[in-house]
Amino acid sequence: MEDSVYQEYNETNTSIPIMCCRFIYTPIAYSVSGVFVWCALVLTCFQIFQHLRYYSVPEKQLWIVRILFIVPVYGLCSWLGLLFPYASVYFDAIRSCYEAFVIYNFVRLCIAYVGGESAILAEINGKSIPRSCWAGTCCFPRMTYSIRFLRFCMQSTLQFCFVKPVVAIVIIVLEALGLYNEGNWDPQYGYIYCTLIYNVSVSLALYGLVLFYTATQPLLSKYHPVLKFLCIKSVIFLSFWQGVLLAVLHWVGLIATAEEAAAYQNFLITLEMLAAAILLWFAFPYRLYQDLRKDGQGRGIPMQNISSHFRDTLNPHDVVNDAIHNFSRVYQQYAIQGDLSEQDKDNSSDEKRSQDGNVPSSSSTCSNKSGMSFSLSRKKKSEDQNYERVILLVESDEDEIL
């Protein structure tokens, strides 16, 4: 199969020097990349299966399983793009669309770790945003964390989930019309424009992710966020800049053709996926949830439940719902009410205790006058005293969050 692909590709691309293709389009390259990809697939698929088998905390494991799927998607698309170079642009489109999905799921996982958006706001609301060159806040005026800050972080990651698929579709159409010409920076072709749009979108998503991580780092400390953050950042963003570097090498003449640069990109990603699979194994261990899901005899759940959990991870309705609410005028209501719905049981027990005269209950209120305003009170236990105090989490008009 490798020989036929190699022969077909060179017959349709006579301008490619055979010496340049001697390694990257040889059975040795195909075999090496295949071994790395399938080792990564076996390791990651076993990890995914174990998470679905011990699906004890679905509000967290849903996002974890989706993140882990980046290894099969990246690995297979890159390997197939190497085997069938004339269709590499289509496999790259699939790979790129999923990377946007992973960024969104990582942010949602971090929110789930700390108990929801209202829990984040209860801790950071009103605190000054620290100046940091690493986080890009060194030039900010004196600002404080607020619901608008959290909304910006969500919007910056969600926009990438929708911009990237649109760009991918445009690339496929331009490629079919012969107007894309990957690696060619000539303004008469679409490559330069698609690359610029993608670069702006992915940079904004990365910036929102860094801001969110900086704000929630103290809350996420017990979940080892550094390894998780580096895994996502390295797989997605370093692979992007790796592709840009290869395109520049082609532009300066060190790589013969754009097709060869794309082939090297695919080959390098197949090798990197094994390292990514190993890092993700330690970043998202399934053993944390294993004992929580076993029955009285120490067994896991039935196979039919595993398939049901797998279908849940494939349902993208949460992405659509989040996009609608995060870009709507009633984001504040959505953020608060969404978290309260997950805490109904705790709130009911708090109210029962308050009726006994022990502690004040946590509550959420909303009113609608000339503008829409919402407030949420949340109990926060003092570390130094034996009583609980009620703090005001959010109270603002709708115009203030636009």
Side-chain angles (χ1 to χ4, degrees), residues 56-307:
S56 55
V57 190
E59 62 271 17
K60 297 177 183 178
Q61 290 177 281
L62 170 69
W63 317 112
I64 292 175
V65 170
R66 288 177 173 178
I67 292 172
L68 293 177
F69 265 110
I70 192 173
V71 172
V73 173
Y74 258 57
L76 284 177
C77 288
S78 299
W79 191 48
L80 292 175
L82 182 63
L83 293 178
F84 307 101
Y86 48 82
S88 177
V89 64
Y90 306 108
F91 295 119
D92 181 63
I94 299 174
R95 185 179 64 204
S96 299
C97 289
Y98 197 79
E99 75 183 24
F101 188 55
V102 167
I103 295 176
Y104 161 79
N105 282 278
F106 181 71
V107 174
R108 294 304 306 180
L109 175 62
C110 293
I111 293 176
Y113 275 145
V114 298
E117 293 167 330
S118 63
I120 296 175
L121 289 171
E123 295 294 333
I124 70 174
N125 187 56
K127 295 181 180 179
S128 298
I129 299 178
R131 296 177 180 271
S132 170
C133 295
W134 179 82
T137 59
C138 55
C139 300
F140 278 14
R142 188 62 61 183
M143 299 174 62
T144 60
Y145 292 116
S146 65
I147 195 171
R148 285 178 290 181
F149 172 86
L150 184 60
R151 187 184 194 185
F152 171 78
C153 294
M154 291 299 301
Q155 288 177 337
S156 60
T157 54
L158 278 169
Q159 58 83 25
F160 188 47
C161 293
F162 292 93
V163 170
K164 184 54 193 177
V166 172
V167 173
I169 294 174
V170 171
I171 289 176
I172 292 175
V173 173
L174 293 178
E175 180 70 17
L177 298 176
L179 299 176
Y180 182 61
N181 202 350
E182 182 176 5
N184 192 328
W185 299 91
D186 193 326
Q188 67 177 341
Y189 295 104
Y191 174 78
I192 184 173
Y193 305 108
C194 292
T195 302
L196 289 175
I197 294 174
Y198 175 84
N199 192 21
V200 171
S201 181
V202 73
S203 299
L204 181 59
L206 173 61
Y207 183 58
L209 187 60
V210 170
L211 287 179
F212 179 84
Y213 172 76
T214 303
T216 58
Q217 185 177 7
L219 305 176
L220 294 170
S221 58
K222 64 179 180 180
Y223 298 103
H224 308 289
V226 176
L227 179 58
K228 296 177 174 61
F229 182 77
L230 291 179
C231 286
I232 303 302
K233 184 177 179 180
S234 60
V235 171
I236 294 178
F237 297 103
L238 293 185
S239 63
F240 166 72
W241 289 111
Q242 176 179 276
V244 172
L245 176 61
L246 291 171
V248 172
L249 292 178
H250 160 60
W251 184 54
V252 298
L254 295 180
I255 296 180
T257 65
E259 290 81 3
E260 186 183 347
Y264 275 110
Q265 169 76 335
N266 289 327
F267 178 76
L268 291 175
I269 290 178
T270 58
L271 303 184
E272 294 160 356
M273 281 305 100
L274 180 57
I278 296 174
L279 289 177
L280 290 171
W281 176 273
F282 292 102
F284 302 101
Y286 69 88
R287 297 187 183 277
L288 297 176
Y289 311 96
Q290 187 172 4
D291 294 334
L292 300 176
R293 196 58 178 173
K294 289 182 177 180
D295 57 18
Q297 299 179 352
R299 297 174 301 183
I301 61 175
M303 185 63 72
Q304 59 267 26
N305 291 344
I306 295 177
S307 61

